[in-house]
Amino acid sequence: MPTLEIAGYQQIKSDYHKRVLDRLNLEHLDRMAPDAARQEVVSLIRSMLALDAVPLSLTERDNLVRDLQDEIFGFGPLEVLLRDPMISDILVNRANQIYIEKKGRLQKSEVTFQDDAHLMRIIERIVSRVGRRVDESSPMVDARLPDGSRVNAIIPPLALDGPCMSIRRFGSDPLTADKLIEHKALTPAMLAFLKACVTARLNVIISGGTGAGKTTLLNVLSGFIPDHERVVTIEDAAELQLKQDHVVRLETRPPNVEGQGAIRQRQLVINSLRMRPDRIVMGECRGEEAIDMLQAMNTGHDGSLTTIHANTPRDALGRLETMVSMANFNLPERAIRQQIASAINLIVQLSRLSDGTRKIMSIAEITGMEGEVVCMQELFQFERLGLTETGAVRGRFRGAGIRPHCAERLAAVGQKFNPAWMEEVVAL
C-alpha cells in the first residue's frame, strides 16, 4: 500500500482516473488490440505524472499506473485479489469492507473501494459483460467473470449497507483429479471407481453444501466423458470448464426490464432433448427442472451429471422429491420415488470440514425400492476421528467391503472393477 495516507492516495487516483478518461478517445481505444490499448494508456499516465509535481515515490507511481489500468480495463481494486491464485472467495460486504478466503480461512483484506458509487461501477461492468443488468427494478443478479468465477451481487434497497458482492473463484488452472488426491479430498480407489462409473454412463448426482466443491468435482468427473460423445451443458451462470471438443453450452436468461423473456433451466432441459445429446450435464438442479432431468435419465440419456444442495445422500433424495413436486404434476409420492430409483445410480456427498478442507464424505449407490422407500447402500465413507493440535481434521477413508450392484454393468461395457477398491482403508 502506498506510503501516502489511504484517503490521499485514493483522491490522487480518482483525479487521475477522471483526467485520463477525459483525454482518451474511448472509441478509438475499443478498436485497438488489448495490449496496444494498455500501452497507450500507460504512456499517457506516465507522461501526465512526469509533467505534474505529484508527491509519489517511484514504487507509488508504478502502483498508481497499475491501479489506473485496473480501473480502465479491469475490475478496479478486485484485480489485485483476482491475481492471487490462493484466494478462493472474495466477499465484498460493503465498499470499505472486503473479506477473502485463503487456504480455507476467512480473513479481512486491506483492499477497499473508494465509495458505493465506485463499487457499483465495477458491479455493472461485471454483469454487463455477460448481458445481464442490475438496478433498483432488478437488484439481485448472478453473473460470471471471464475465467468462469461465479459472481452474485445484490444492491439497495435489498442490501441495507450499500452494494455487496460475492465471488466464488474458478482459477484459469482448475483442479484436476490428481490435485484432488493430492489435497486428500478422496482416495485413488474412489477416483478409479468414479471414473469407471462415468465412463460406463451411470447417472451421478453430486450433493453437498455451499462451498463444498460440487462444481469442482463435476468438472473433474465430466473430464472422464469420452471425447466422441456429444455433451450438452445447462447452467444458470456458465462456469463449467469441459475439456471435450464436442460440447454445446446452454445458459438461462433472466427477465428483461418489462419482466418478460426469462428462460429457465427447465425449458433448456426440454430443448436439449431435441439436440441429440449423448450426455446432459446440469450445473445445478434446484427447481421444477428436476422432473425433466429424471425423465431424460430414464429415457436413453444415461451418463448424465448434476449437482444438488443437500447435507446427506438421503437428504438429496428428499430434495429431489420436493423439486419434482414443484412442477405441479400432482404425481403420487411412490411414482416420484420410482422415477428417482430408476434414474439415479450414484450420489456423491461432499462436505467442507471445520479446518477448511473439502472431502468426499460418502459415495452411495441407489439399489432400487422396497415398499415406499428408495434403498441405497454406502460404498465409500470418510470417518472423522477428531482434530489434531493444529485444528486439522483427523479421519480415514474406508470402503464398505461390499460388491456394488453396478459392478456387472461396469463389466458389461468393458470397465474394470477391482474388488480391492472396496476394501481400502486410508488414514489421514
Side-chain angles (χ1 to χ4, degrees), residues 19-160:
R19 289 174 59 190
V20 169
L21 290 180
D22 287 341
R23 294 187 50 182
L24 282 175
N25 183 339
L26 295 179
E27 289 186 8
H28 171 65
L29 213 62
D30 286 341
R31 292 194 294 269
M32 296 176 65
D35 290 341
R38 280 183 177 271
Q39 189 57 48
E40 182 163 320
V41 170
V42 169
S43 299
L44 175 60
I45 296 170
R46 292 196 184 280
S47 65
M48 291 170 66
L49 286 171
L51 292 173
D52 298 338
V54 183
L56 294 176
S57 67
L58 288 176
T59 302
E60 290 166 345
R61 287 171 183 253
D62 289 339
N63 287 337
L64 180 62
V65 171
R66 183 199 65 197
D67 290 348
L68 287 173
Q69 284 188 82
D70 292 342
E71 289 292 340
I72 295 168
F73 296 105
F75 303 123
L78 294 178
E79 289 289 343
V80 176
L81 304 176
L82 293 171
R83 281 192 282 265
D84 187 343
M86 301 301 294
I87 294 177
S88 56
D89 284 279
I90 302 172
L91 308 172
V92 183
N93 295 342
R94 49 184 179 268
N96 62 353
Q97 187 185 82
I98 300 177
Y99 280 83
I100 59 174
E101 183 186 89
K102 212 169 185 178
K103 297 181 179 179
R105 301 288 185 180
L106 278 176
Q107 53 190 276
K108 191 173 183 179
S109 170
E110 294 182 359
V111 175
T112 60
F113 288 87
Q114 192 172 336
D115 50 32
D116 284 352
H118 184 199
L119 172 55
M120 196 65 205
R121 284 200 305 272
I122 299 303
I123 291 175
E124 288 172 345
R125 184 177 299 174
I126 290 172
V127 302
S128 64
R129 290 190 178 187
V130 291
R132 304 205 171 188
R133 64 185 179 86
V134 58
D135 50 40
E136 285 193 6
S137 65
S138 179
M140 296 184 296
V141 66
D142 287 315
R144 65 181 183 278
L145 298 181
D147 66 0
S149 298
R150 183 189 311 163
V151 179
N152 174 268
I154 183 166
I155 66 172
L158 301 186
L160 301 181

Side-chain angles (χ1 to χ4, degrees), residues 162-183:
C164 59
M165 176 168 52
S166 306
I167 300 177
R168 174 70 49 78
R169 295 289 307 282
F170 291 98
S172 56
D173 184 23
L175 286 177
T176 62
D178 291 337
K179 287 182 180 177
L180 288 183
I181 293 175
E182 182 182 327
H183 293 167

Side-chain angles (χ1 to χ4, degrees), residues 246-258:
H246 199 170
V247 176
V248 179
R249 304 170 72 209
L250 306 180
E251 185 179 45
T252 61
R253 187 178 72 186
N256 59 20
V257 179
E258 292 80 25

Side-chain angles (χ1 to χ4, degrees), residues 68-353:
L68 287 173
Q69 284 188 82
D70 292 342
E71 289 292 340
I72 295 168
F73 296 105
F75 303 123
L78 294 178
E79 289 289 343
V80 176
L81 304 176
L82 293 171
R83 281 192 282 265
D84 187 343
M86 301 301 294
I87 294 177
S88 56
D89 284 279
I90 302 172
L91 308 172
V92 183
N93 295 342
R94 49 184 179 268
N96 62 353
Q97 187 185 82
I98 300 177
Y99 280 83
I100 59 174
E101 183 186 89
K102 212 169 185 178
K103 297 181 179 179
R105 301 288 185 180
L106 278 176
Q107 53 190 276
K108 191 173 183 179
S109 170
E110 294 182 359
V111 175
T112 60
F113 288 87
Q114 192 172 336
D115 50 32
D116 284 352
H118 184 199
L119 172 55
M120 196 65 205
R121 284 200 305 272
I122 299 303
I123 291 175
E124 288 172 345
R125 184 177 299 174
I126 290 172
V127 302
S128 64
R129 290 190 178 187
V130 291
R132 304 205 171 188
R133 64 185 179 86
V134 58
D135 50 40
E136 285 193 6
S137 65
S138 179
M140 296 184 296
V141 66
D142 287 315
R144 65 181 183 278
L145 298 181
D147 66 0
S149 298
R150 183 189 311 163
V151 179
N152 174 268
I154 183 166
I155 66 172
L158 301 186
L160 301 181
D161 297 324
C164 59
M165 176 168 52
S166 306
I167 300 177
R168 174 70 49 78
R169 295 289 307 282
F170 291 98
S172 56
D173 184 23
L175 286 177
T176 62
D178 291 337
K179 287 182 180 177
L180 288 183
I181 293 175
E182 182 182 327
H183 293 167
K184 300 179 180 178
L186 76 171
T187 66
M190 294 165 70
L191 181 66
F193 175 72
L194 289 174
K195 180 178 181 180
C197 290
V198 172
T199 308
R201 301 178 65 89
L202 270 64
N203 295 317
V204 180
I205 286 183
I206 300 169
S207 167
T210 301
K214 299 186 297 297
T215 304
T216 298
L217 183 61
L218 183 59
N219 266 321
V220 170
L221 295 187
S222 64
F224 300 139
I225 297 174
D227 290 335
H228 66 270
E229 295 187 10
R230 177 176 170 84
V231 182
V232 177
T233 69
I234 299 169
E235 302 172 81
D236 262 343
E239 57 197 29
L240 293 175
Q241 300 173 3
L242 273 66
K243 302 301 183 186
Q244 289 86 347
D245 184 53
H246 199 170
V247 176
V248 179
R249 304 170 72 209
L250 306 180
E251 185 179 45
T252 61
R253 187 178 72 186
N256 59 20
V257 179
E258 292 80 25
Q260 305 296 320
I263 303 295
R264 300 175 64 85
Q265 281 201 115
R266 185 176 184 192
Q267 295 167 272
L268 293 181
V269 173
I270 294 171
N271 188 80
S272 71
L273 300 179
R274 306 185 183 110
M275 298 172 66
R276 197 235 170 257
D278 290 309
R279 310 259 189 157
I280 299 173
V281 178
M282 186 183 294
E284 184 180 339
C285 192
R286 57 162 65 95
E288 70 271 12
E289 67 272 6
I291 181 64
D292 300 288
M293 188 70 186
L294 290 176
Q295 292 195 49
M297 291 175 173
N298 273 321
T299 55
H301 297 90
D302 294 335
S304 297
L305 306 169
T306 189
T307 70
I308 189 172
H309 272 83
N311 293 325
T312 66
R314 182 61 63 180
D315 286 348
L317 296 182
R319 280 216 66 211
L320 268 176
E321 282 189 52
T322 302
M323 290 188 290
V324 169
S325 65
M326 291 167 66
N328 295 322
F329 282 168
N330 295 319
L331 293 173
E333 283 188 358
R334 182 176 176 83
I336 295 174
R337 290 173 183 170
Q338 283 177 331
Q339 285 271 345
I340 292 172
S342 58
I344 307 300
N345 301 112
L346 287 182
I347 299 179
V348 182
Q349 183 68 40
L350 286 161
S351 283
R352 177 178 168 180
L353 305 182

